[in-house]
Amino acid sequence: MDIRTVSGVMPVREEDQLDWQHLRDYLVREGVLPEDAPDLCAVQFPTGASNLTYLIQSGEFVAVLRRPPHGPLPPRAHDMGRESAILARLHPHFPKAPRPYAYCGDPSVLGVPFFVMEYRPGVPLDASFPEGFAYTPDIGRAISERAIQALAELHAVDPEASGLVQFGKPEGFLRRQVDGWIERFHRSRTDEEVPDADVVMAWISGNVPDSRDVTVIHNDFKLNNMLFAEPSYRDIVGIVDWEMATVGDPLLDLGVMLSYWTEPSDPPALQSLFPSVTVLEGFYSRQEMAERYAEATGRSVHDLKFYYVFGVFKLAVILQQIYVRYKMGKTSDARFARFGDGIRALVSHARAEIG
């Protein structure tokens, strides 16, 4: 295998380069690589807008490396040690989660905390299928079903038996989430106005439902965090990006997934911000996804409006946290230049959904 031929990777950006020799030596010391392992080579996954993710190779050994983004970081965010520890406990109970190989918090190795994990050779889905792929509506239905099944399987993991209960505080979880994301919005505000933001935050804060269940949740469950097997794209071979995973209200995961699940009738600004294959004929609507989740889990989705609006608001906050770093000159990634318009589009959509 040659990682340079993997679909969707690119050469490592100059600003994101790491000391690959130090990394090789560290992995040898940790027993991940043998003493005679060849030098490492690396490519980068360009799609993530948060943590930096690399595909690394030494001979036949191939793995994924994750590290935090550049610039000032929100408190407790981008915790590589926590994500690695969650995967170590989750993988035996939920095989779609990759197995971690090593975590390093010693800044003398690469200058930042990082962890290395198993590589799953699947493809995430974003705006389109690969060129030449013969899409049919039954494929959209199959992918919709697989996504719901995977979410139901995750929410069936026992927090106590898996040891994951230590990574969450279920009591008051939903209220803390709401208060925390509103605080993040204020803390990352730029000098640009965001109309309707105060209205949306007030509605979310005043409409927090009572959580009925506590499960393991991904907290960023969406299509492009799922890896689909080629060439059919009907099976999920892995789910990645467990940075925000915790133990809490499972309907938060549903709300997050639906906030990315673009429909053909959505405002053009929203479709432009998050172009998605879900607009194609055959994919379930957001309402159908919610109904299938209720059928698969036995849970009520009566308060779906809250979870969806909150999911959309969280997206706006995530973009704003990235955008403020861009405006401060902490990253030069040109993708982030339009995030200001994206924040306003998301908040406007959330306001329209409130009614």
Side-chain angles (χ1 to χ4, degrees):
M1 177 181 179
D2 182 347
I3 60 172
R4 294 170 296 184
T5 66
V6 171
S7 175
V9 300
M10 69 176 194
V12 178
R13 287 184 287 258
E14 186 59 35
E15 67 187 67
D16 299 334
Q17 287 288 351
L18 298 170
D19 190 324
W20 305 113
Q21 185 60 48
H22 274 197
L23 175 61
R24 177 212 169 272
D25 294 345
Y26 167 79
L27 293 177
V28 169
R29 291 196 302 272
E30 292 297 307
V32 177
L33 288 175
E35 291 280 352
D36 60 350
D39 289 344
L40 282 171
C41 62
V43 290
Q44 190 169 12
F45 292 101
T47 53
S50 182
N51 291 320
L52 304 182
T53 307
Y54 307 80
L55 188 59
I56 60 174
Q57 182 171 20
S58 172
E60 295 301 311
F61 174 81
V62 177
V64 171
L65 182 145
R66 300 254 293 165
R67 57 145 290 181
H70 304 285
L73 304 177
R76 299 184 299 280
H78 311 287
D79 188 336
M80 300 292 98
R82 183 179 183 276
E83 183 174 359
S84 178
I86 285 173
L87 286 173
R89 289 163 177 79
L90 179 60
H91 171 77
H93 301 269
F94 184 71
K96 289 183 176 68
R99 179 167 67 95
Y101 294 139
Y103 162 71
C104 179
D106 181 356
S108 69
V109 178
L110 293 182
V112 291
F114 68 92
F115 75 96
V116 176
M117 67 180 178
E118 176 187 11
Y119 167 61
R120 295 288 180 90
V123 178
L125 290 175
D126 276 306
S128 62
F129 288 91
E131 187 176 352
F133 178 72
Y135 175 80
T136 58
D138 69 299
I139 293 172
R141 287 189 288 273
I143 291 171
S144 301
E145 278 293 326
R146 297 297 185 277
I148 287 298
Q149 289 169 9
L151 189 57
E153 289 168 11
L154 173 64
H155 292 169
V157 173
D158 187 327
E160 292 282 354
S162 63
L164 288 161
V165 68
Q166 65 181 290
F167 293 98
K169 297 177 181 178
E171 187 69 31
F173 171 77
L174 203 50
R175 169 53 65 183
R176 289 196 308 276
Q177 284 285 302
V178 167
D179 292 346
W181 283 96
I182 288 174
E183 180 186 352
R184 288 185 186 100
F185 181 88
H186 288 301
R187 197 165 53 228
S188 60
R189 242 177 168 154
T190 68
D191 57 354
E192 299 181 18
E193 288 295 319
V194 183
D196 292 324
D198 291 335
V199 174
V200 170
M201 288 187 284
W203 185 88
I204 293 170
S205 184
N207 288 273
V208 179
D210 293 328
S211 295
R212 297 178 177 86
D213 291 303
V214 172
T215 70
V216 177
I217 64 174
H218 182 283
N219 230 354
D220 197 19
F221 197 87
K222 55 182 178 174
L223 268 187
N224 67 0
N225 277 332
M226 305 175 206
L227 303 177
F228 290 86
E230 295 181 291
S232 71
Y233 293 89
R234 292 174 182 267
D235 295 308
I236 298 172
V237 297
I239 296 176
V240 297
D241 198 359
W242 294 88
E243 168 194 350
M244 296 190 292
T246 188
V247 175
D249 189 330
L251 293 181
L252 271 188
D253 267 348
L254 181 63
V256 166
M257 179 171 66
L258 297 185
S259 71
Y260 286 98
W261 201 271
T262 312
E263 296 182 349
S265 60
D266 284 337
L270 200 67
Q271 294 193 48
S272 174
L273 184 62
F274 294 113
S276 174
V277 294
T278 56
V279 300
L280 297 174
E281 181 185 359
F283 277 92
Y284 292 171
S285 68
R286 287 191 289 263
Q287 185 61 40
E288 289 171 326
M289 291 292 283
E291 290 170 359
R292 282 295 298 117
Y293 176 83
E295 291 171 4
T297 64
R299 293 190 177 94
S300 169
V301 292
H302 173 75
D303 295 311
L304 183 63
K305 179 194 280 193
F306 168 83
Y307 292 98
Y308 177 65
V309 169
F310 185 40
V312 172
F313 174 71
K314 285 172 64 178
L315 282 183
V317 178
I318 291 168
L319 260 61
Q320 187 161 271
Q321 289 179 150
I322 297 167
Y323 188 52
V324 72
R325 295 202 306 268
Y326 175 80
K327 292 201 72 170
M328 294 171 65
K330 299 297 184 180
T331 175
S332 60
D333 192 325
R335 294 176 300 160
F336 303 155
R338 68 189 188 107
F339 275 17
D341 291 335
I343 295 160
R344 287 183 284 275
L346 286 165
V347 171
S348 175
H349 181 62
R351 176 66 181 88
E353 288 294 312
I354 290 169

